């Protein structure tokens, strides 16, 4: 049996992983603590969004550490820290626990040979597998390509003089929408903002050189409660980056599918579109299983008609049927539209 620290991906529903996560959150609760642990573990903080809440940041740290095969190194680093005295016995026991695999025997053969069963219907060569069809018109791909240029990578300098990655998208002639936590920290708005247009990879694998567009940090406006913020570009965006319409889409329902164009971890533009079902909807938020990573904060969330339904901002967790469930979460775009109006933000040339 694979040790919990060696499982890939790391299983956050495992009680031992949850115990480790809780202990780290309680013992190292600040962004400075996380930076120290990352540095000593040989993990670049560029892979982690340290502006998010501590619980979310620590889960991201553990996930990145496992993907980089440095989770055991991280645990060993923590064990040596002076303020780890209370959790040190648990951590040492976790490292020492090899969880030797139980010997297994081959299953006995079945009494009768197992044959493939065919569909008894006369026209049963093909069929829909699930309760809901996943087939889409091929024009879905074309529309996604048309919208994609409007999504940009953001490189932000905050008041700690550190540079952070995020995602944003054009909603008017000169305005980009992203998350409040991308453009603000506890000391106020960002000191510099860059929009990287066209930072993508060709199908052949070549990374395209982005067009870096400066933004005017003096125009930053945002609201923390619904985690939105906008900033104006200081020079025109390319014509291909058309403003994305932010109003008029119906509210998604549970089991609908949503798609997220994003710059995960500050990398080239990607799309999350697998196991992308909506699992939760309330007046303010949409929960979904669409994949994101640190750096995806501020990405647009689209329905199957490429209508904007949400502003992605973080992951969340709840308990369903006695089991912990992890999902991603976006702010419903209606709440953002209301916030923009209340703040007096004018969308010139909006779609």
């Amino acid at each position: 049996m694979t040790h919990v620290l060696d499982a890939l991906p790391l299983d956050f529903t495992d009680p031992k992983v949850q115990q480790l996560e809780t202990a780290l959150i309680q013992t190292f609760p600040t962004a400075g603590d996380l930076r120290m642990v990352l540095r000593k573990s040989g993990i670049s903080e560029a892979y982690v969004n340290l502006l998010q809440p501590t619980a979310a940041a620590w889960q991201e740290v553990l996930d990145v550490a496992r993907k980089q095969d440095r989770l055991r190194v991280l645990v060993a680093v923590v064990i040596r820290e002076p303020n780890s005295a209370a959790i040190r016995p648990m951590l040492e026991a976790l490292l020492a626990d090899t969880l030797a695999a139980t010997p297994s025997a081959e299953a006995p053969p079945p009494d009768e040979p197992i044959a493939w069963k065919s569909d008894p219907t006369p026209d049963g060569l093909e069929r829909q597998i699930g309760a809901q069809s996943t087939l889409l018109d091929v024009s879905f791909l074309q529309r996604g390509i048309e919208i994609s240029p409007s999504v940009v990578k953001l490189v932000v300098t905050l008041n700690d003089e550190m540079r952070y990655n995020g995602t944003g998208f054009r909603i008017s002639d000169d305005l980009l929408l992203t998350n409040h936590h991308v453009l603000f920290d506890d000391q106020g708005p960002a000191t510099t903002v860059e929009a990287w247009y066209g930072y993508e990879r060709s199908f052949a694998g070549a990374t395209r050189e982005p067009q870096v567009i400066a933004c005017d940090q003096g125009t930053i406006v945002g609201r923390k409660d619904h985690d939105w913020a906008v900033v104006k570009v200081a020079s025109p965006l390319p014509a291909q980056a058309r403003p994305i319409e932010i109003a008029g889409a119906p509210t998604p329902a549970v089991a609908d599918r949503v798609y997220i164009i994003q710059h995960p971890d500050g990398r080239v533009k990607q799309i999350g579109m697998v196991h992308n079902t909506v699992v939760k909807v309330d007046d303010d938020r949409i929960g979904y299983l669409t994949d994101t990573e640190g750096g995806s904060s501020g990405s647009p969330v689209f329905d199957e008609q490429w209508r904007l339904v949400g502003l992605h901002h973080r992951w969340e967790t709840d308990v369903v049927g006695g089991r912990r469930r992890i999902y991603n979460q976006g702010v419903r775009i209606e709440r953002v539209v209301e916030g923009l109006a209340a703040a007096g933000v004018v969308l010139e040339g909006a779609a």
Side-chain angles (χ1 to χ4, degrees), residues 20-43:
L20 170 64
E21 183 181 0
T22 300
L24 293 172
I25 292 168
Q26 293 175 347
T27 309
F28 301 94
T30 70
D33 293 333
L34 269 75
R35 285 194 182 95
M36 177 272 296
V37 173
L38 288 169
R39 185 179 68 255
K40 292 185 177 181
S41 303
I43 301 169

Side-chain angles (χ1 to χ4, degrees), residues 72-332:
R72 287 180 174 272
V73 174
L74 184 147
V75 174
V77 164
V78 170
I79 286 174
R80 293 194 294 269
E81 288 303 304
N83 56 334
S84 295
I87 64 172
R88 188 171 293 123
M90 181 274 291
L91 297 176
E92 290 175 340
L94 182 61
L95 281 181
D97 179 13
T98 57
L99 296 178
T102 303
S104 59
E106 185 177 354
D111 294 334
E112 298 292 337
I114 298 175
W116 288 98
K117 293 184 178 180
S118 61
D119 193 319
T121 59
D123 57 348
L125 293 179
E126 311 288 352
R127 65 176 298 164
Q128 178 179 310
I129 303 303
Q132 182 179 5
S133 175
T134 60
L135 295 174
L136 295 168
D137 288 338
V138 73
S139 59
F140 172 85
L141 301 176
Q142 179 182 351
R143 181 59 180 150
I145 292 297
E146 292 171 353
I147 287 177
S148 174
S150 304
V151 181
V152 297
K153 172 182 172 178
L154 296 180
V155 179
V156 179
T157 305
L158 294 176
N159 294 281
D160 60 2
E161 298 184 354
M162 299 289 292
R163 284 164 65 88
Y164 298 92
N165 295 316
T167 302
F169 55 99
R170 187 181 189 182
I171 60 172
S172 74
D173 282 348
D174 59 357
L175 211 57
L176 300 175
L177 175 63
T178 186
N179 288 141
H180 184 278
H181 76 258
V182 171
L183 295 185
F184 287 83
D185 61 13
D186 292 339
Q187 299 178 57
T191 57
T192 69
V193 182
E194 295 175 352
W196 288 26
Y197 168 81
Y199 186 44
E200 302 170 2
R201 182 181 292 120
S202 72
F203 193 69
T207 299
R208 293 169 177 155
E209 187 70 22
Q211 179 180 343
V212 179
I213 300 170
C215 299
D216 181 357
Q217 67 270 21
T219 65
I220 295 175
V221 176
R223 286 280 299 273
K224 188 175 182 179
D225 55 354
H226 287 119
D227 201 9
W228 65 263
V230 291
V231 62
K232 288 185 177 182
V233 291
S235 57
L237 286 160
Q240 295 92 331
R242 300 168 186 161
I244 294 174
E245 186 173 358
I246 64 172
T251 302
V254 171
D256 284 354
R257 293 179 175 84
V258 291
Y259 305 81
I260 303 178
I261 299 176
Q262 57 190 288
H263 283 278
D265 275 343
R267 299 192 302 271
V268 293
K269 191 180 299 176
Q270 298 183 30
I271 180 170
M273 57 183 297
V274 181
H275 52 74
N276 57 335
T277 51
V278 174
V279 296
K280 195 171 187 177
V281 181
D282 63 24
D283 287 342
D284 291 329
R285 306 285 193 264
I286 308 165
Y288 37 80
L289 301 182
T290 316
D291 279 335
T292 62
E293 295 182 21
S296 300
S297 292
S299 300
V301 183
F302 298 102
D303 66 11
E304 286 193 347
Q305 300 301 313
W306 288 107
R307 295 170 296 198
L308 183 66
V309 296
L311 175 65
H312 174 72
H313 76 140
R314 59 166 297 163
W315 65 271
E316 262 296 348
T317 182
D318 60 9
V319 176
V320 177
R323 294 180 63 85
R324 186 182 185 216
R325 176 177 68 175
I326 298 173
Y327 58 91
N328 277 314
Q329 179 176 274
V331 179
R332 282 180 53 177

